[in-house]
Amino acid sequence: MADVVMRIWRGDSEGGEFQDFPTQVSEGEVVLDVVHRIQAEDAPDLACRWNCKAGKCGSCSAEINGLPHLMCMTRMDTLPTEEPVVIAPMKTFPIIRDLVTDVSFNYEMARRLPPFAPKDPGPDGTYRMQQIDVERGQEFRKCIECFMCQDICHVIRDHEENKEHYAGPRLFIRYMELESHPLDTNDRRELLREEMGLGYCNITKCCTEVCPEHIKITDNAIIPLKERVVDASYDPVAWLGRKILRRTKKTATEAANHRTDPKPVKASQ
Amino acid sequence: MAEYEQIDLDVVVIGAGGAGLRAAIEAKQRGLRTAIVCKSLLGKAHTVMAEGGAAAAMGNVWSEDNWKVHFRDTIRGGKMLGNWRMAQLHAQESPDRIHELEAWGALFDRTKDGRIHQRDFGGHRYARLAHVGDRTGLELIRTLQQRAVALDIDVFMETKILRLLKNPSGEVSGAVGYHRPTGKMVVFTAKAFVLATGGIGRSWKYSTNSWESTGDGHALALWAGADIIDMECMQFHPTGMVWPLSVRGLLVTEGVRGDGGILRNSEGQRFMFNYIPEVFAAETADNEAEADRWYEDHINNRRPPELLPRDEVARSINAEVKAGRGGPHGGVYLDIASRRSSEFIQRQLPSMYHQFKELAGVDITKEAMEVGPTCHYIMGGIRVEPDTAASTIPGLFAAGEVAGGLHGANRLGGNSLSDLLVFGRRAGMGASDYADSRTSGTTVDSTEIERIIDEARAPLAREGGENPYDLQRDLQETMQNLVGIIRTGTELTQALSEIDALKERVPNLSVNGGIAYNPGWNLATDLPAMLSVCTMVTMGAIERKESRGGHTRDDYPKSDPAFGKINFVQRLNGSGECVVSPEPLPEMPDELKALLEEGAH
Amino acid sequence: MSTQEGIRPAPVPLVLGGARGGPRVRTLRRDSWKRSPLITQGYLLLFVVYATWAAFQNSNYYVGASSHRDLISPFYSPCIGASCVPGSHGSFLLHWWTYSPALVILIIPLGFRVTCYYYRKAYYRSFWHSPQACGVADGHKKYTGETRFPLIIQNIHRYFFVLGVLLNIMLTIDAVMAFRMPGAGGIGVSVGTIVLCANAVLLWFYSVSCHACRHLCGGHVNEFSKHPVRHGLWKIITPLNAKHMQLAWVSLSFVALTDLYVRLVASGIITDPKIF
Ligand SMILES: Cc1cc2nc3c(=O)[nH]c(=O)nc-3n(C[C@H](O)[C@H](O)[C@H](O)COP(=O)(O)OP(=O)(O)OC[C@H]3O[C@@H](n4cnc5c(N)ncnc54)[C@H](O)[C@@H]3O)c2cc1C
Ligand code: SF4
Ligand code: SF4
Ligand code: FES
Ligand code: FES
């Protein structure tokens, strides 16, 4: 049992302040356990999100000592206890109350994403893909939508005005997943350049540093996307290649409107 | 007068887990004005935690597999208590539902010839679980979520439904709830409602379930007059973490055993060989050598006893610990370290590896894990019509964990995820058809709405009352100690009176703070549902005087064939009290009965 | 109040921003986040100062037959100016260029490294302070990233990659030439030989691990199973690419050390010991 002071942000859109909760920590506890105990004993109205308590749902994101972490996966014994443990809400998103923020920015950016547009399945109504074809995308699908990468990204963390035209690292991995999907028929490169703000990212890698799923967001998604955008927009040789091979690329508007209706799976039996 | 926003739609789906999302997708695809309401953010529902996989007889790994074998496994695993028609639809339709996910963007692990890979799980005769590593639930919910977003379905996140409302002619027509971020009240009116609210495990102290699993849907349906069945059938997962205390109950996936992990007691004995029940004796290995050969050769060897259905394994662990052969923290040892290479473990079970490493400081490639049973899943639920998922009251449909019937007295691993897809879709179809043909209006009584709102807000106004967290803790203690994995008549009656005493304390709850995002208040509104659900579980458990599947009575340790032919149905009587009545199971057609006999190895 | 028929309720509020929580401070971090950008800054400055000095020397970059060696500094290869030392196997391509050839040649590695995705990160953090460290406010009023001139030019990185590869070929030839021991038994190995070889190898590793290389070789393919060769290349490059940062620093340091070694030998401060 160790004594520690938890310094937790209390407040809403009107303002707020840190409140200190002295508490005792027992073996193996994570930050979320301590927050729960404070809820149950001292402050039942202390707002925080959580669901799984196992690092699987991405609900409990908060900034612990200045950097975003999942509260349920941060063990107390990894934090220095001589000084108070400072817990603040994610900074980039509007505050709702205490540790809870309004993360609708991320849902809106997900809504703006042109969805998966598959080609037609094989004759038996199913698709064939090799493990090597799906592995690249599977890394991105590990994302638990904790939005900590969005939170730490300075493009919107420090520049509110960029939110209108910036999808953010969480969505960039989703774009990369679809752009490299063996079955997808859309081409979102111009859209990424013109409207989703891929060029705003300066690959400083904070997103990769905070990702609890250890997704290599910058190396495996953002930079490959930037290279694909170079193919589409900046590389004269690629342009020439397209002309010669009579390939086309989709404009941002075409990409945004492109849909293929997935064929209904025909009933077996 | 209480203020509230009113929103009118065709179909309202309550719950955004696999079942809710699939139902909403179906309704929206059929052109209805559809909305989803859920307590958390979109994509955080409990389904996200499922690990192992989704069972579907696609026959990709074993071409011998087909819906008939899956049907047989489900009914036998459910100890003959399952609804035959649901089991049939489930077995027949789940392959299509899985393939459909792929057309919506899911990326399952593949076989060599490029089809969806399937893995072994307890109780399934063939490798049948479509999976993505050990994070299948995440894949499932994300795929459905992205499909729902593509279809532009309205989602009311962090909105909690408190009560269902009926119109004067008795059809479900509305739902009252509140937006958690603001605390503002909202009333949804619609032609059809689908309940997909998931499980009830939050009322037990050690549980794999999240705060959302308070059994709201079970209670909402009961209060609205629907029939609820089989509530005594709870599944305790055999392997939950037991140490450190803060993570006690957290799931250790069955995949550990599927991939070679074995159970030992403190004396180092592989004790599962002592607990092989008669029914499974023919297909279970009785010596270590054969059990170990099975992993390589399924055809000529019988499966290891560690892969018996969950109820058997959970009971055996419990018995070992009771006999004093448990570890220091009251569990037994699950050992994969001494049986598989470190690389194998890290590749096959990445999230288990991290879970133990980060939360318990245990390296599962080097040491055994200490595990014990934990409350996991409720087989019972709202009684539904198999083909349409309609409940017994008009206008209300149910799918997923909140619906009862498919799993009988014990659910096989992996059958839940495919259940969500198959019956989520059917609920969406049923609700759409109903909404299309419904002629009566959706007027709801505003005085009733105000009464519900006042009641919900009462704890906020009350001063100096009881902290809801204390009440929840006491309820969890009661259920854990008295309505746990092994039950006795006297303890159950004691539990019932304790729950009644807890109910008395509800009108005295008080919470401080405002209405905006107040977890204390949220818990206060959860408690009535939790208490109702616990009552149902306990009452059902008292009535079922036998042991069957997830329900084990110390005073009636044997299965009784007479009980195997009945469901215990619970509903409100005229004066609003919950009553239990035994009702016969629907009769299985002969051709399906024949499937149960045929080829039992 | 009730929403009317037909008006779509907006469950996802369209406000993207709003009042934020937490205290208004630059950062809540309490670890030593300033250290790493300072080290990067210091190291890069050190290199730039040395490279500039070395490039302006226009002497002592070649150890020739008089010392029974054939060693050229990577800063001066291929020697393409009018002022090149005879024997320094360069082509006298730019006859009118009378200044140090290094000033021309270095444009390629400089451009390659300045537009390199890793170095971008390094100098955006340590010099531009956008951001200096994660979770530390960048302090700039406006931020447009790489969407405008001049930073939009970063997109030409793949051309520098190609030029870099050509240069690597030159340096590889230099490394092979370094086995020549004119007038002292034809062929042999000296410390200088090893230094030049190691330099060339490290530069190859750096180039091969480049993100543009990874993309051009296989990353652009969507269906790997249909393109086994490209997938094979991509599979080889990917683990190297994960070490691109380390390779960037090691190869950078080694180029400077190679130049220094050749310089010391050429100016007679040390002699290049022959090993066999
Ligand atoms: C750790 C773990 C691992 C598992 N692994 C597997 C596995 O490998 N294979 C398998 O088949 N099954 C597995 N299961 C079981 C399976 O995941 C669940 O049974 C299933 O996900 C339940 O899905 P659902 O759609 O019914 O409900 P849930 O996913 O629980 O969703 C319930 C939804 O209802 C909403 N809700 C609840 N009450 C209200 C209310 N009052 N108002 C508004 N909304 C409400 C919630 O917000 C939530 O969105 C596992 C379960 C756990 C806990
Ligand atoms: S690498 Fe790009 S997306 Fe990631 S945090 Fe930095 S600027 Fe944002
Ligand atoms: S990419 Fe990583 S950090 Fe970003 S939302 Fe997903 S899991 Fe979180
Ligand atoms: S509670 Fe689910 S990630 Fe922390
Ligand atoms: S050289 Fe660094 S990314 Fe190309």
Side-chain angles (χ1 to χ4, degrees), chain B residues 229-252:
Chain B
I229 59 169
D230 295 341
M231 288 303 281
E232 66 281 10
C233 300
M234 285 283 315
Q235 180 170 79
F236 286 79
H237 198 288
T239 56
M241 289 173 82
V242 293
W243 187 257
L245 217 51
S246 72
V247 290
R248 181 152 191 165
L250 206 63
L251 185 74
V252 180

Side-chain angles (χ1 to χ4, degrees), chain B residues 273-294:
Chain B
F273 287 106
N274 308 335
Y275 294 95
I276 302 168
E278 199 113 339
V279 254
F280 294 106
E283 49 199 70
T284 310
D286 54 10
N287 61 80
E288 297 202 17
E290 180 176 358
D292 289 346
R293 282 196 307 269
W294 176 85

Side-chain angles (χ1 to χ4, degrees), chain A residues 229-240 242, chain C residues 155 158-159 216:
Chain A
V229 168
V230 173
D231 285 343
S233 310
Y234 300 115
D235 184 347
V237 176
W239 172 84
L240 200 67
R242 264 198 307 279
Chain C
N155 287 304
R158 61 174 61 168
Y159 286 93
L216 296 171

Side-chain angles (χ1 to χ4, degrees), chain B residues 14-20 37-40 45-47 49-54 121 159-162 196-199 208-209 212-213 216-217 220 251 376-377 399-402 411 413-418 420:
Chain B
I14 304 171
V37 187
C38 56
K39 287 205 281 193
S40 303
H46 211 240
T47 303
M49 295 172 69
E51 292 164 355
F121 240 52
T159 301
K160 181 187 153 141
I161 299 299
L162 295 163
T197 53
T208 62
N209 292 193
E212 288 199 295
S213 301
D216 293 3
L220 291 173
L251 185 74
H376 186 53
Y377 186 89
E401 194 168 341
V402 73
R411 172 179 74 90
N415 264 2
S416 171
L417 292 185
S418 38
L420 308 182

Side-chain angles (χ1 to χ4, degrees), chain A residues 143-149 170 173 207 210-213 215 217:
Chain A
C143 169
I144 57 173
E145 300 207 323
C146 63
F147 305 132
M148 299 199 299
C149 54
R170 157 62 188 123
I173 61 171
C207 48
V210 300
C211 177
E213 289 292 305
I215 301 170
I217 303 175

Side-chain angles (χ1 to χ4, degrees), chain C residues 248-259:
Chain C
W249 285 117
V250 175
S251 62
L252 185 78
S253 314
F254 215 85
V255 176
L257 289 177
T258 309
D259 176 81

Side-chain angles (χ1 to χ4, degrees), chain B residues 93-221:
Chain B
E93 294 180 359
S94 36
D96 287 348
R97 298 286 79 76
I98 298 289
H99 285 133
E100 182 176 72
L101 290 181
E102 210 157 54
W104 296 343
L107 292 174
F108 290 101
D109 286 350
R110 322 302 298 180
T111 60
K112 288 253 176 326
D113 62 347
R115 296 191 291 176
I116 296 172
H117 187 261
Q118 302 184 273
R119 72 148 52 123
D120 275 309
F121 240 52
H124 291 285
R125 180 135 154 223
Y126 298 108
R128 188 180 281 149
L129 270 70
H131 67 102
V132 187
D134 53 4
R135 54 163 191 87
T136 315
L138 173 63
E139 188 68 15
L140 190 114
I141 201 162
R142 203 62 84 231
T143 306
L144 293 172
Q145 168 188 351
Q146 284 160 351
R147 176 71 182 157
V149 170
L151 290 170
D152 214 5
I153 297 174
D154 291 333
V155 185
F156 295 85
M157 295 192 233
E158 304 205 302
T159 301
K160 181 187 153 141
I161 299 299
L162 295 163
R163 287 276 179 167
L164 296 174
L165 303 166
K166 295 200 230 178
N167 67 3
S169 52
E171 288 149 312
V172 176
S173 307
V176 191
Y178 65 92
H179 299 300
R180 297 177 61 220
T182 57
K184 293 208 176 102
M185 309 302 294
V186 55
V187 172
F188 296 93
T189 53
K191 295 175 185 150
F193 285 80
V194 179
L195 283 173
T197 53
I200 67 170
R202 189 65 184 151
S203 301
W204 278 256
K205 194 168 162 195
Y206 302 124
S207 160
T208 62
N209 292 193
S210 80
W211 68 269
E212 288 199 295
S213 301
T214 48
D216 293 3
H218 294 80
L220 291 173

